[in-house]
Amino acid sequence: MSFVTVSNLRKDYGPRTIIENINVEVEEGQFISLVGASGCGKSTFLRLLLDQERPTSGTITVDGELFSGEPCQTRGIVFQRYSVFPHMTVRANIVAATAFTQGTWGWLFGNAKKQAQAEAQSTLDRIGLGHVAAQYPASLSGGMQQRLAIAQALAAKPRILLLDEPFGALDPGTKLSMHGFLEQLRVETGMTVFMVTHDLEEAFKLADRVLVFDKPKWDPDDLEKGGATITYDFDARNDGIPFQTLQENTNVFKSD
Amino acid sequence: MPTADAMRWINRKPSRVLAWVLATLPFIIVFAAYAIGSEIRLSVNPADKLLPAPSQIWETALRLLTEGDRRSGRILFWHDTAASLRRLGLGVGIAATMGLVFGMAIGLLPYMRATFATFISVLSMVPPLAILPILFIVFGLGELSKVALIVIGIGPFLIRDLWMRVTEIPTELVVKAQTLGASSWIIAMRVAGPQIMPRLLQSVRLSLGPAWLFLIASEAIAAEGGLGYRIFLVRRYLAMDVILTYVIWITLLAFLLDLLLKVLTRALFPWFGEKRA
């Protein structure tokens, strides 16, 4: 029995079908990249996985259970922007993951507060944000904000991490260090990850599987017609080496 | 390189000193225009009451600020100021609280939105001054009707404005809070609430103008004291020096209140106004 099971998933916005016939099974701990052209339903699929929106038909189950109808702690999310709370300091952003589940008011007091703050500080120290713990996110660079956003999502200990173009707005150097950061976190937590990206290199580098979203057939008279589905499901372990081995065996790259 | 003369006007900026001079210039011009007009009228008719000389206004102001009333011994100027500020503070305070509570509820909860959105929109179209007689009839001529006018005058605006500000909070933040396990109440208290507090102060700043308008209107019609009451009382004697003193004082108070709220916003919400995270 797989961990995440998506069967016959379909999502319409009004008369437009965005995605249809989505069938995927994902094992726990797998890293899945979702790629495809803009408007091909990758982010819609991610919102369905988040349970921020409900499918028109079909089901998603996690660990055999259906969704409850709203986002919850099982699935953490990092968006491209607006992922951290601008009115809280960097440390408070991490503490929030603990505090938000506490009591009626969502505030921690006394020893619980001290402990959560100490834990948050050690988390921040580990990810290289310890020195800015007392600042507000607006004073952080884009890469630091996304690192904070990922750490915040992980502080709630989700079983699945959803990333919606998390590194899309970062420069190449920062992007590379974020890849290292994410791979390290994955080794530590062993969580399942779904990441939407436009960067194919990134997709194959990080993921175990790369799912390609596209429309199986394009109607030349009405490009809006028909929904996208998963057209390719690549094995991307070893940075996509099996794919390259296949090419070498068929002499595609023979240079002499 | 083009010389300074060739630069576009949109790119030319005054120096600090020049900016300061330019800022005071309109005040000086208005004052000078008044002084000249007053001079001309008084030279024709020394008993003219319409444009009293600046020196006379100054003397009147000193007398108003320091000398007690012949009958009661109270300094009416400060008494009026206290009465008006109390009404204004109560009215704006109650309206702001209503704006915060209802704005948050309507902005966050679809059930509240379905129930009250249209109602508030219609309510905010009622001209407050048109129902002032009703307020006087229902609440009497005391403090309550004046405070009620301010609340009714700016309350619906504040509710609508705050509700708009709540819906402008990025969905991402609300979704994120849910994935961190926050309940509706905690999202209101720890995400939506803190984010719209600085916007509440901004909205209150905008509504202070109308609030003064409603205060003075209600004081003019029926009161036993207050800045608006005094102005309309001395109008009978054409006491322009008193009226002008009060008008300048009200303007100064409004300006200082606005400044206070601005400084308060910056001090309490240091994260606000910087680029959004």
Side-chain angles (χ1 to χ4, degrees):
Chain A
M1 177 85 195
S2 59
F3 182 52
V4 178
T5 309
V6 179
S7 42
N8 291 320
L9 198 69
R10 177 195 174 105
K11 178 68 182 175
D12 299 342
Y13 287 132
R16 271 189 72 192
T17 302
I18 305 298
I19 48 175
E20 58 188 348
N21 296 324
I22 307 277
N23 290 287
V24 184
E25 300 210 336
V26 174
E27 302 300 325
E28 181 148 29
Q30 272 193 334
F31 192 126
I32 315 289
S33 282
L34 310 169
V35 298
S38 291
C40 259
K42 309 179 300 286
S43 292
T44 304
F45 181 59
L46 207 70
R47 282 198 292 275
L48 293 173
L49 279 174
L50 182 62
D51 206 5
Q52 186 185 343
E53 290 174 15
R54 258 55 63 197
T56 306
S57 63
T59 56
I60 303 174
T61 59
V62 173
D63 220 4
E65 281 182 37
L66 281 166
F67 285 170
S68 62
E70 58 181 5
C72 70
Q73 278 168 285
T74 321
R75 284 148 281 133
I77 176 85
V78 174
F79 299 102
Q80 187 175 354
R81 299 173 66 212
Y82 302 126
S83 255
V84 292
F85 301 116
H87 61 285
M88 295 183 189
T89 63
V90 169
R91 193 197 294 116
N93 260 288
I94 302 284
V95 172
T98 318
F100 277 12
T101 59
Q102 299 299 307
T104 321
W105 297 91
W107 284 100
L108 293 169
F109 301 100
N111 280 335
K113 183 179 179 180
K114 272 186 201 144
Q115 196 192 337
Q117 283 189 335
E119 279 171 20
Q121 188 62 47
S122 74
T123 305
L124 289 172
D125 286 337
R126 203 162 47 82
I127 64 172
L129 292 178
H131 61 295
V132 290
Q135 293 182 20
Y136 288 97
S139 64
L140 269 56
S141 69
M144 287 164 112
Q145 285 192 21
Q146 285 308 75
R147 236 183 299 168
L148 175 63
I150 292 171
Q152 182 190 44
L154 293 184
K157 300 190 173 57
R159 296 185 71 183
I160 303 172
L161 182 63
L162 306 171
L163 307 168
D164 195 353
E165 296 179 43
F167 314 133
L170 305 181
D171 65 87
T174 312
K175 210 180 224 186
L176 277 181
S177 71
M178 292 299 290
H179 290 166
F181 173 61
L182 191 58
E183 278 174 331
Q184 184 196 337
L185 285 177
R186 222 191 124 214
V187 171
E188 285 169 20
T189 59
M191 68 197 158
T192 313
V193 183
F194 288 84
M195 178 177 75
V196 168
T197 178
H198 280 123
D199 184 340
L200 288 179
E201 198 184 323
E202 176 179 272
F204 277 92
K205 177 183 169 190
L206 295 174
D208 300 319
R209 277 166 80 184
V210 176
L211 303 180
V212 182
F213 278 71
D214 200 0
K215 293 187 186 183
K217 55 178 190 292
W218 289 84
D219 187 331
D221 296 324
D222 184 4
L223 292 174
E224 302 266 291
K225 199 175 169 188
T229 186
I230 295 172
T231 51
Y232 290 97
D233 183 349
F234 289 109
D235 186 337
R237 281 169 297 185
N238 287 324
D239 293 352
I241 295 292
F243 173 64
Q244 290 175 7
T245 316
L246 183 73
Q247 284 181 320
E248 279 163 21
N249 288 345
T250 52
N251 295 329
V252 171
F253 283 147
K254 203 164 190 176
S255 54
D256 312 352
Chain B
M1 208 187 115
T3 57
D5 287 339
M7 269 173 70
R8 290 179 184 83
W9 278 100
I10 56 165
N11 291 323
R12 295 199 212 176
K13 299 183 185 83
S15 68
R16 278 185 81 113
V17 178
L18 185 58
W20 194 84
V21 171
L22 288 174
T24 49
L25 200 60
F27 291 101
I28 293 170
I29 291 173
V30 169
F31 180 78
Y34 179 88
I36 293 167
S38 164
E39 185 73 35
I40 292 170
R41 283 188 73 99
L42 287 172
S43 65
V44 175
N45 172 17
D48 180 63
K49 295 192 100 175
L50 204 60
L51 298 181
S55 59
Q56 196 202 332
I57 297 177
W58 179 247
E59 279 161 26
T60 308
L62 282 182
R63 181 171 55 78
L64 289 172
L65 263 66
T66 51
E67 281 177 29
D69 182 43
R70 261 166 295 175
R71 194 157 48 84
S72 61
R74 291 185 304 205
I75 299 177
L76 291 175
F77 184 82
W78 300 115
H79 186 69
D80 288 338
T81 303
S84 285
L85 282 183
R86 194 174 59 241
R87 290 168 192 147
L88 190 79
L90 269 175
V92 172
I94 293 169
T97 311
M98 272 172 49
L100 187 63
V101 172
F102 282 96
M104 289 250 289
I106 294 172
L108 282 174
L109 304 171
Y111 270 93
M112 290 295 283
R113 190 150 55 235
T115 313
F116 289 111
T118 316
F119 180 67
I120 300 280
S121 302
V122 172
L123 201 66
S124 65
M125 294 301 153
V126 176
L129 285 177
I131 56 168
L132 185 57
I134 304 177
L135 296 180
F136 281 140
I137 294 165
V138 174
F139 297 120
L141 297 176
E143 295 300 289
L144 190 57
S145 55
K146 294 172 194 65
V147 173
L149 180 70
I150 296 173
V151 171
I152 289 170
I154 63 171
F157 161 77
L158 283 173
I159 293 173
R160 283 180 73 179
D161 199 54
L162 267 288
W163 145 34
M164 293 300 164
R165 300 286 92 80
V166 171
T167 54
E168 278 169 13
I169 294 174
T171 326
E172 285 91 335
L173 292 182
V174 179
V175 170
K176 181 85 180 208
Q178 293 180 66
T179 64
L180 298 181
S183 63
S184 299
W185 179 247
I186 288 176
I187 289 172
M189 289 294 110
R190 298 240 23 218
V191 181
Q195 296 232 19
I196 62 161
M197 278 311 282
R199 292 170 180 91
L200 173 71
L201 290 188
Q202 280 187 335
S203 308
V204 167
R205 276 176 69 192
L206 284 178
S207 64
L208 272 181
W212 276 104
L213 166 75
F214 296 128
L215 173 74
I216 291 171
S218 61
E219 284 180 344
I221 293 171
E224 286 153 12
L227 299 167
Y229 163 77
R230 196 68 55 197
I231 289 178
F232 277 80
L233 184 75
V234 300
R235 180 186 60 114
R236 295 174 203 166
Y237 317 115
L238 268 178
M240 281 294 279
D241 49 348
V242 178
I243 294 177
L244 284 172
T245 305
Y246 270 74
V247 169
I248 293 168
W249 177 235
I250 292 171
T251 310
L252 190 68
L253 280 179
F255 180 77
L256 289 177
L257 273 179
D258 186 68
L259 194 68
L260 177 76
L261 285 172
K262 196 162 116 184
V263 171
L264 213 59
T265 310
R266 226 179 282 163
L268 291 177
F269 311 104
W271 52 270
F272 188 70
E274 298 174 65
K275 75 179 165 66
R276 292 255 208 88

